[in-house]
Amino acid sequence: TEGGAHSNDIFGSPGTPETQASYVVEMFTQAKAANVRVLIWFMLYNPPPDVYPYENGLVNRNDPPERKLAFFTYQQMVEQMADASYDRELAGSELGAPEMHAYRFVKSNGAALYVAWMNPVNTDKAATLTVRGKRAVVYDIHTNTRTVADGDDGRSDGNLSVGVGWRPLLIEILQ
């Protein structure tokens, strides 16, 4: 299976480095959930615009090529999801809003890994995802990390609350 998204705004089809990186996470998450054995990103590099005007590449066409945000996001996805098995898509009653998508995976060490985002891309809407746990690391598409803990929301109840917007988050439960 092939997937891709561009990072340039062309022919009335808006694209940015952030939307491209978001699609990397969303496509690979949904492919893994659907048990797609191979998903190939179209394409590795941006060809010349007179050949193909969409900048779908994970690297640009500079000499030497420079890695784009989507490249680093892809690398992070591979690192986090390599040993993860799909568990389930969270039910509507578990989500903070009907526009939220969230998937649960289980890593080989037994840790839960959630991937969540709001639709559509570039929406202004945000919602809170609440999952069981005492502590988690949250990864964003810029490969930044932050730790969240039970009680950060003012309640020590064995749950973690994570604000989710259109940029996908990976949430690795540590405890």
Side-chain angles (χ1 to χ4, degrees):
T1 303
E2 179 182 277
H6 59 93
S7 62
N8 57 329
D9 193 7
I10 189 163
F11 301 132
S13 179
T16 67
E18 283 192 319
T19 57
Q20 182 187 37
S22 294
Y23 281 124
V24 166
V25 176
E26 293 173 20
M27 283 188 224
F28 279 91
T29 298
Q30 292 175 328
K32 192 160 181 108
N35 201 29
V36 172
R37 295 186 52 83
V38 176
L39 176 62
I40 297 169
W41 186 262
F42 178 79
M43 56 186 46
L44 176 60
Y45 69 95
N46 294 335
D50 59 325
V51 173
Y52 186 78
Y54 297 96
E55 295 180 355
N56 285 37
L58 297 177
V59 298
N60 65 24
R61 63 179 148 267
N62 294 351
D63 186 14
E66 296 169 351
R67 297 169 183 167
K68 294 167 51 179
L69 175 61
F71 178 92
F72 295 106
T73 303
Y74 175 86
Q75 191 174 42
Q76 178 175 263
M77 280 294 294
V78 169
E79 289 172 7
Q80 293 302 315
M81 301 287 278
D83 70 338
S85 299
Y86 173 68
D87 183 35
R88 64 189 179 86
E89 184 172 3
L90 274 63
S93 61
E94 298 175 278
L95 303 174
E99 300 87 359
M100 186 183 291
H101 290 267
Y103 297 80
R104 184 179 191 274
F105 297 86
V106 179
K107 298 185 85 163
S108 62
N109 65 2
L113 176 68
Y114 295 90
V115 185
W117 65 87
M118 297 289 285
N119 266 342
V121 167
N122 289 328
T123 186
D124 290 334
K125 293 183 180 180
T128 300
L129 177 65
T130 302
V131 295
R132 297 290 303 159
K134 293 182 181 180
R135 196 166 56 92
V137 175
V138 179
Y139 302 84
D140 68 21
I141 62 168
H142 294 277
T143 69
N144 297 315
T145 61
R146 63 186 168 94
T147 302
V148 295
D150 181 21
D152 286 353
D153 60 0
R155 297 183 309 258
S156 293
D157 56 3
N159 291 315
L160 301 167
S161 298
V162 180
V164 177
W166 69 268
R167 294 170 193 89
L169 299 174
L170 282 74
I171 305 158
E172 182 180 10
I173 307 300
L174 302 175
Q175 296 178 322

